């Protein structure tokens, strides 16, 4: 499932119709464009968002630099031509503490300015096992560095982030920030950045509470002009002193004073700490509103974002229009922030919303309906509205807030929420919050916890969750026979263990996993449910690796049929089509594979399944290489961070050293991370690259290691899919083993023969562009009446080594007459009469 970006988080808050102009702060913000970072850090209610919004909405800067004209009041000089604002805005919330989600929204914000930037990063983030954040940031920074225009990135409400990985990621971004980018952060508390270092280097501009507080003149303008009061200079000074220039306090005080007869008395009694004052003022503001408005404010405070229809669904009050009430609240300055230009979506000021929720819980706790019951119903209604409008994640979050375990399970299972990469973190947080007693009472929740971990690319803790599920089931059954639902759950536990074995890259676990998948499917019955598609896909992967292409295709097709029955917003069918394309490529149907991948790519783009594009591109590159279109393959590989694919392209371009430079660090990274499967693939490709680089001995050593690892699991396609270079390397390995005294490597001879038998007849590869010698060889080959078969090439190579027909037969397990028959066909194709002439002719044609 592709990540659905909430567009309202990327909107720059529009200018307010009435605002206090603050040129001294605007000048400070303009000065900050000389450095890397502008930090606006102050407690809630100091006007941080409003200030930055007003600044960027009126900002114009040159595309060349941010040079200021000191003689012109710090305004920005237009050196060449003014351009429209280049400001990307991201309003953060607690959910963005997930590093993957944070980076996804960061890319989305940049894409509001530069379409397509970070597309590969976004795709990588949505993969089943997202790569580390730092390499993705490196890619993103390199793309930013290539942007010809200056721009500003604003991160608002950074204090909502509670994540060391996110802090580290943003630190890395700041330290390697391209010169055309300026970062502006608004927050209630200092981020965990090396601020002292930036300060010492003069790379940071800071605005803090002492800077943001209203001056007496600004307070006067705000209270009298903006809020419409008619206060004396003495009253304004007293109120400004008591609030210490705290803008939210002034606004709340002004709202409370509207309609007051004794303003001086009110101001005199306006004392206390911010928290107490704010509590008091909220009471006063609410108390002056009608009962219907008070009810609206309290009950809609459970929503992070509001729109008219959503408010109507939550309140169930036909006498009042949610949209009209929102428009009234905005007009009355009741801490409502518009999130778009159409005035459809809003949010409450965060602090105001917190206090409304506090009062809501206090009011429902003392009601006759029981503690918190009213809040539960509100969350349930919100959950239903979000589900009806296709926003399953938000629906799940409100179901979890309502502690509606059954509804949350429904959204996970029926809506496929566990397949949504953006929903995994929410599900894991919810499951982690549930007490063990609840999980034990519903063993399926333990299994779903394990499933969510696997979908999120985690294996740690999966076995513990599966074990807990089994223990809970044993207690529930107490020796009784399980019903169909329980048997299916037991099978699901076994299937997860099989997937865990494969995802843990246990290369000898395929037979164990296959038996488990079969038992699971038996438990599910006929017809199989949609969830069986994962088992069929797993079985197809195993048979494909064993080179049983007919069985693999059957299981891939069964998986695809079930995957296509999921909701269209779920991308399970993409993986099935990718494996079917690989199946066609393995059969030599290059055109069929290309056509299928083209259709898959179209579906991916139409449904915005960007996280699947690297998977599609990886196989497309292989198809292009088989077609000899190296330039197109290189262009496609360059769009994604796929080291193995990049290495294959470099080998096809005739650059083994560059391929090795990619493979060596990648293989080491995979080893450190414990990703044995990726490490294994890199090892095999590295062996091919070593041979191409003339390092035959190292290549044979590495291949021997790979064969020893792969032989217990019966791996075939992982070698055969590397094509003719791997076939020749295995043949070299076999010959090298025969020359050695009998030892432990002798057991690999049969395995090597099995692999050699699986290779197709070799086909001539197109020569590298500009390689005259290879072109000449190709021209000579075209003079042959018929190309040599795979077996004939093997025999020709043994003839070159001086082996007799009998020795060749013993080595290749062929009858003597069969060897002689191959010799005659070799001589006929080469148009020669003897072994000596055959060897000379083969060398002339470049066959050896």
């Amino acid at each position: 499932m592709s990540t659905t970006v909430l567009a309202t988080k990327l909107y720059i808050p529009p200018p307010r119709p009435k605002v206090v102009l603050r040129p001294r702060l605007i000048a400070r913000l303009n000065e900050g464009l000389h450095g890397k970072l502008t930090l606006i850090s102050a407690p809630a209610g100091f006007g941080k968002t409003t200030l930055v919004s007003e600044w960027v909405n009126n900002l114009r800067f040159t595309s060349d630099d941010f040079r200021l004209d000191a003689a012109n009041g710090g305004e920005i000089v237009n050196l060449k031509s003014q351009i429209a604002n280049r400001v990307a805005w991201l309003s953060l919330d607690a959910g963005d503490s997930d590093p993957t989600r944070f980076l996804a929204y960061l890319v989305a914000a940049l894409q509001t300015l530069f379409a397509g930037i970070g597309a590969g990063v976004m795709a990588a983030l949505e993969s089943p096992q997202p790569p580390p954040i730092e390499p993705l940031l490196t890619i993103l920074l390199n793309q930013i560095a290539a942007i010809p225009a200056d721009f500003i990135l604003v991160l608002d409400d950074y204090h909502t982030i509670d994540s060391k990985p996110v802090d580290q990621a943003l630190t890395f971004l700041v330290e390697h920030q391209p010169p055309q980018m300026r970062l502006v952060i608004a927050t209630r508390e200092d981020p965990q950045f090396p601020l002292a270092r930036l300060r010492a280097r003069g790379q940071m501009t800071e605005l803090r509470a002492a800077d943001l507080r209203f001056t007496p003149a600004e307070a006067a303008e705000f209270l009298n002009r903006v809020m419409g009061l008619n206060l004396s200079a003495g009253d304004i000074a007293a109120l400004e002193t008591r609030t210490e220039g705290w803008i939210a306090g002034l606004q709340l005080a002004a709202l409370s004073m509207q309609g007051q007869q004794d303003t001086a008395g009110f101001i005199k009694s306006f004392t206390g700490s911010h928290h107490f004052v704010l509590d008091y003022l909220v009471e006063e503001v609410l108390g002056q509103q009608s009962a219907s408005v008070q009810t609206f404010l309290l009950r809609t405070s459970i929503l992070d974002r509001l729109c008219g229809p959503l408010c109507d669904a939550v309140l169930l009050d036909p006498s009042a229009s949610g949209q009209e009430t929102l428009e009234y609240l905005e007009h009355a300055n009741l801490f409502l922030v518009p999130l778009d230009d159409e005035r459809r979506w809003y949010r409450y000021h965060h602090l105001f919303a917190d206090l409304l929720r506090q009062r809501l819980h206090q009011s429902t706790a003392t009601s006759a309906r029981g503690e918190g019951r009213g809040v539960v119903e509100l969350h349930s209604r919100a959950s239903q509205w979000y589900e009806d409008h296709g926003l399953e994640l938000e629906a799940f979050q409100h179901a979890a807030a309502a502690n509606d375990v059954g509804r949350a399970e429904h959204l996970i299972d029926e809506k496929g929420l566990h397949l949504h990469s953006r929903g995994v973190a929410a599900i894991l947080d919810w499951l982690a919050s549930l007490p063990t007693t609840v999980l034990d009472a519903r063993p399926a929740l333990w299994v779903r916890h394990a499933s969510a971990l696997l979908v999120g690319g985690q294996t740690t803790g999966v076995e513990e969750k599966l074990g807990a599920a089994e223990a809970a089931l044993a207690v529930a059954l107490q020796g009784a026979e399980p019903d169909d639902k329980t048997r299916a759950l037991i099978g699901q536990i076994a299937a997860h263990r099989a997937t865990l074995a494969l995802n843990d890259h246990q290369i000898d676990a395929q037979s164990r996993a296959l038996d488990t998948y079969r038992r699971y499917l038996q438990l599910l019955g006929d017809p199989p449910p949609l969830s069986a598609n994962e088992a069929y896909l797993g079985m197809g992967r195993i048979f494909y690796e064993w080179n049983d292409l007919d069985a693999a295709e059957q299981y891939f097709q069964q998986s695809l049929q079930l995957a296509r029955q999921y909701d269209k917003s779920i991308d399970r069918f993409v993986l099935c089509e990718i494996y079917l394309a690989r199946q066609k490529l393995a059969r030599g149907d290059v055109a069929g594979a290309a056509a299928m991948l083209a259709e898959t790519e179209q579906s991916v783009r139409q449904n915005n399944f960007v996280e699947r594009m690297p998977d599609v591109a990886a196989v497309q590159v292989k198809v292009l290489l088989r077609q000899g279109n190296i330039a197109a393959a290189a262009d496609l590989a360059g769009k994604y961070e796929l080291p193995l694919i990049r290495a294959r392209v470099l080998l096809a371009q005739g650059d083994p050293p560059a391929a090795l430079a990619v493979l060596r660090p990648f293989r080491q990274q995979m080893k450190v991370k414990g990703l044995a499967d990726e490490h294994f693939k890199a090892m095999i490709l590295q062996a091919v690259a070593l041979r191409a680089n003339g390092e035959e001995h190292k290549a044979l050593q590495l291949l021997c290691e790979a064969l020893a690892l792969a032989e217990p699991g019966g791996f075939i396609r992982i070698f055969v899919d590397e094509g003719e270079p791997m076939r020749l390397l295995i043949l070299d390995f076999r010959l090298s083993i025969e020359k050695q005294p009998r030892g432990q490597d002798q057991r690999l001879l049969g395995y090597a023969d099995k692999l050699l038998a699986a290779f197709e007849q070799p086909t001539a590869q197109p020569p590298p562009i500009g390689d005259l010698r290879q072109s000449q060889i190709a021209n000579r080959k075209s003079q042959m009446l018929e190309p040599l078969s795979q077996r004939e090439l093997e025999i020709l190579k043994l003839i070159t080594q001086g082996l007799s027909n009998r020795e060749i037969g013993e080595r290749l397990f062929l009858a003597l007459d069969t060897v002689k028959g191959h010799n005659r066909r070799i001589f006929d194709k080469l148009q020669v009469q003897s072994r000596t002439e055959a060897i000379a002719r083969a060398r002339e044609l470049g066959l050896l």
Side-chain angles (χ1 to χ4, degrees):
M1 170 66 189
S2 61
T3 297
T4 302
V5 173
L6 188 61
T8 53
K9 286 166 64 71
L10 310 179
Y11 281 112
I12 300 175
R16 296 189 177 187
K18 293 182 179 181
V19 67
V20 176
L21 299 178
R22 313 189 76 185
R24 61 185 178 87
L25 298 182
I26 297 299
R28 291 282 303 280
L29 292 173
N30 288 341
E31 291 170 4
L33 296 178
H34 283 294
K36 286 185 173 184
L37 172 66
T38 297
L39 179 66
I40 303 102
S41 180
F46 274 87
K48 300 180 292 295
T49 300
T50 300
L51 173 65
V52 179
S53 170
E54 291 297 325
W55 175 55
V56 300
N57 272 294
N58 293 282
L59 184 64
R60 294 292 184 271
F61 55 85
T62 162
S63 61
D64 289 340
D65 64 20
F66 295 104
R67 182 170 67 81
L68 302 178
D69 183 359
N72 196 23
E75 294 184 357
I76 296 173
V77 174
N78 190 335
L79 296 181
K80 290 189 176 178
S81 62
Q82 286 189 341
I83 62 174
N85 285 355
R86 287 203 178 273
V87 179
W89 187 287
L90 173 56
S91 296
L92 298 166
D93 55 44
D96 298 322
S97 293
D98 175 30
T100 298
R101 173 170 163 165
F102 174 83
L103 188 52
Y105 268 105
L106 183 66
V107 172
L110 294 174
Q111 288 178 346
T112 62
L113 298 182
F114 312 106
I117 190 171
V121 172
M122 190 74 84
L125 288 173
E126 297 291 341
S127 63
Q129 295 180 341
I133 296 297
E134 187 168 307
L136 296 180
L137 277 175
T138 300
I139 297 170
L140 184 61
L141 286 168
N142 287 338
Q143 293 178 349
I144 292 174
I147 294 173
D150 296 325
F151 71 96
I152 297 170
L153 171 63
V154 178
L155 301 180
D156 194 23
D157 290 335
Y158 190 80
H159 58 271
T160 61
I161 300 297
D162 183 16
S163 169
K164 186 175 181 180
V166 172
D167 288 335
Q168 292 171 339
L170 209 54
T171 298
F172 180 85
L173 185 148
V174 172
E175 289 179 345
H176 301 87
Q177 191 170 313
Q180 56 268 66
M181 174 180 169
R182 298 296 183 274
L183 183 62
V184 177
I185 295 178
T187 179
R188 293 182 187 174
E189 57 188 43
D190 285 357
Q192 298 300 310
F193 294 171
L195 299 180
R197 186 164 66 226
L198 292 170
R199 192 178 295 119
R201 294 175 178 174
Q203 296 177 331
M204 178 175 68
T205 296
E206 299 173 77
L207 292 178
R208 299 193 172 272
D211 305 302
L212 295 172
R213 58 178 294 179
F214 270 165
T215 64
E218 290 170 339
E221 182 180 7
F222 173 76
L223 292 169
N224 285 343
R225 183 179 66 83
V226 175
M227 299 303 297
L229 300 175
N230 187 23
L231 301 180
S232 66
D235 286 342
I236 292 172
L239 192 56
E240 196 276 335
T241 299
R242 293 188 183 276
T243 60
E244 300 182 47
W246 182 39
I247 301 172
L250 285 168
Q251 184 173 12
L252 286 169
L255 288 170
S256 298
M257 282 190 290
Q258 290 178 345
Q260 287 274 354
Q261 298 298 320
D262 184 12
T263 57
F266 173 83
I267 294 172
K268 186 176 180 179
S269 64
F270 192 73
T271 60
S273 67
H274 286 179
H275 293 294
F276 294 137
V277 169
L278 191 56
D279 286 344
Y280 171 77
L281 290 176
V282 169
E283 293 286 347
E284 289 297 314
V285 172
L286 288 175
Q288 295 185 30
Q289 303 302 317
S290 67
S292 61
V293 171
Q294 289 187 46
T295 300
F296 183 95
L297 289 168
L298 292 175
R299 294 185 178 180
T300 59
S301 66
I302 67 163
L303 303 170
D304 291 331
R305 290 168 178 80
L306 307 91
C307 68
L310 174 56
C311 294
D312 291 335
V314 170
L315 292 171
L316 294 180
D317 182 2
S319 65
S321 164
Q323 184 61 37
E324 290 179 1
T325 306
L326 289 172
E327 291 174 359
Y328 163 76
L329 295 177
E330 181 186 13
H331 179 74
N333 285 331
L334 286 177
F335 299 100
L336 195 67
V337 180
L339 295 174
D340 53 40
D341 295 333
E342 291 79 21
R343 295 301 198 268
R344 293 182 60 248
W345 284 93
Y346 299 84
R347 68 167 174 85
Y348 290 123
H349 183 283
H350 295 312
L351 191 55
F352 187 59
D354 290 342
L355 290 164
L356 288 174
R357 290 167 190 157
Q358 180 183 4
R359 182 171 176 82
L360 174 65
H361 283 277
Q362 290 172 346
S363 64
T364 56
T366 57
S367 69
R369 307 174 72 180
E371 183 174 353
R373 184 59 199 162
V375 179
V376 167
E377 291 183 3
L378 296 174
H379 281 295
S380 295
R381 295 170 193 165
S383 178
Q384 186 64 58
W385 188 90
Y386 277 121
E387 181 185 357
D388 293 342
H389 288 79
L391 297 168
E392 287 84 6
L393 178 56
E394 289 75 8
F396 169 81
Q397 290 170 328
H398 280 284
N403 199 27
D404 190 340
V405 177
R407 178 167 181 75
E409 281 191 287
H410 155 75
L411 288 164
I412 294 173
D413 295 339
E414 300 301 322
K415 296 298 181 178
L417 184 62
H418 67 290
L419 300 177
H420 296 215
S421 59
R422 65 187 291 255
V424 171
I427 293 173
L428 289 174
D429 289 343
W430 174 65
L431 289 168
S433 72
L434 295 177
T436 302
T437 52
V438 173
L439 296 170
D440 286 340
R442 306 175 82 117
L445 289 177
W446 284 117
V447 179
R448 289 179 180 88
H449 202 162
S451 176
L453 287 170
L454 288 173
V455 171
Q458 304 178 48
T459 56
T460 303
V462 172
E463 179 54 41
E464 289 80 357
K465 304 298 183 296
L466 296 177
E470 288 178 324
L473 282 172
V475 172
L477 290 173
Q478 294 183 345
E481 285 295 319
D483 57 16
D484 291 343
K485 184 176 181 180
T486 303
R487 279 194 292 269
L489 189 61
I490 294 172
Q492 193 174 358
I493 293 172
H496 283 328
R497 282 204 170 103
T499 302
L500 180 63
L502 293 178
N503 288 359
D504 268 345
H505 316 288
Q506 302 173 19
I507 60 176
D508 60 345
Q510 298 198 93
S511 296
R512 172 154 54 91
L514 183 61
D515 292 339
T516 302
Y517 284 135
R518 283 172 169 162
R519 289 196 299 271
Y520 176 50
L521 290 172
Q522 288 174 353
L523 289 171
L524 292 177
D526 193 26
L530 300 188
S531 59
N533 94 292
E534 296 186 33
Y536 284 125
L537 185 63
M539 295 172 71
R541 289 169 55 190
I542 293 171
F543 279 104
Y544 176 84
E545 194 51 59
W546 286 346
N547 203 33
D548 188 342
L549 300 182
D550 291 335
E553 182 176 8
Q554 174 189 343
Y555 289 121
F556 288 151
Q557 290 287 3
Q558 287 176 294
S559 180
L560 179 60
Q561 290 174 7
L562 293 174
R564 283 179 172 164
Q565 297 177 45
Y566 274 111
D567 186 272
K568 292 182 179 180
S569 63
I570 299 174
D571 63 358
R572 295 301 294 173
F573 72 92
V574 177
L575 279 179
C576 303
E577 292 182 354
I578 289 173
Y579 275 108
L580 281 168
R582 291 182 60 187
Q583 168 87 7
K584 290 180 179 294
L585 195 59
R587 291 185 183 277
D589 184 5
V590 180
M596 172 164 278
L597 289 170
E599 294 179 3
T600 304
E601 180 184 3
Q602 183 178 7
S603 298
V604 167
R605 296 191 182 281
Q606 286 177 346
N607 293 281
N608 199 30
F609 295 150
V610 293
E611 76 282 359
R612 292 299 181 196
M613 271 310 302
D615 299 322
V616 177
V619 187
Q620 286 178 320
V621 169
K622 291 183 178 181
V623 169
L624 290 169
L625 291 177
R626 286 283 292 272
Q627 293 173 332
N629 195 343
I630 299 177
D635 181 64
L636 182 57
K639 295 179 180 179
Y640 303 95
E641 187 65 20
L642 300 169
L644 293 178
I645 293 299
R646 183 183 172 201
R648 287 192 178 94
V649 171
L650 290 169
L651 286 173
Q653 292 174 327
D655 194 352
L660 289 170
V662 172
L663 289 169
R664 288 189 180 110
F666 176 74
R667 183 182 167 200
Q668 181 61 30
Q669 290 171 7
M670 297 302 99
K671 183 177 181 180
V672 170
K673 294 178 181 179
L675 301 179
D677 185 53
E678 293 298 302
H679 179 264
F680 185 50
K681 293 176 183 177
M683 177 192 301
I684 291 173
L685 192 56
Q686 188 176 355
V688 173
L690 286 169
R691 183 180 186 274
N693 201 42
E695 302 178 68
E696 289 83 359
H697 181 67
K698 290 183 179 179
L700 291 175
Q701 284 184 321
L702 199 56
L703 178 64
C704 180
E705 183 181 347
L707 291 173
L709 289 171
E711 190 269 340
F715 281 60
I716 294 178
R717 288 309 314 182
I718 198 168
F719 293 98
V720 174
D721 286 347
E722 296 301 333
E724 179 67 1
M726 176 55 74
R727 189 191 74 86
L728 295 177
L729 180 57
I730 295 175
L731 188 59
D732 288 343
F733 168 79
R734 194 187 191 289
L735 296 175
S736 69
I737 294 300
E738 290 185 340
K739 293 179 181 178
Q740 299 174 1
R742 298 190 65 82
Q744 61 178 6
D745 292 339
Q746 295 292 321
R747 67 182 177 85
L748 296 177
L749 282 177
Y751 184 40
D753 288 332
K754 184 178 181 181
L755 291 174
L756 289 170
F759 279 92
E760 296 178 346
Q761 177 174 320
T763 56
Q765 298 296 318
I769 297 175
D771 191 332
L772 179 60
R773 180 178 179 277
Q774 291 296 325
S775 299
Q776 292 170 342
I777 290 173
N779 290 335
R780 295 194 199 106
K781 285 183 180 179
S782 65
Q783 299 171 13
M784 294 177 61
L785 299 177
E786 183 182 350
L788 298 180
S789 68
Q790 170 188 335
R791 181 64 78 183
E792 289 164 353
L793 282 169
E794 292 176 6
I795 292 174
L796 177 60
K797 191 167 187 178
L798 297 178
I799 290 174
T800 305
Q801 295 176 3
L803 274 68
S804 67
N805 289 342
R806 186 174 300 279
E807 290 172 329
I808 293 174
E810 292 174 352
R811 180 164 297 184
L812 299 181
F813 305 100
L814 299 175
L816 180 60
D817 288 342
T818 301
V819 175
K820 291 179 179 179
H822 280 304
N823 283 349
R824 286 194 298 271
R825 285 190 291 275
I826 291 171
F827 291 176
D828 289 343
K829 291 179 180 180
L830 295 178
Q831 303 177 53
V832 297
Q833 300 296 323
S834 67
R835 283 186 163 215
T836 303
E837 291 178 353
I839 294 171
R841 181 64 170 163
R843 285 174 176 162
E844 179 186 355
L845 294 173
L847 296 176
L848 299 176

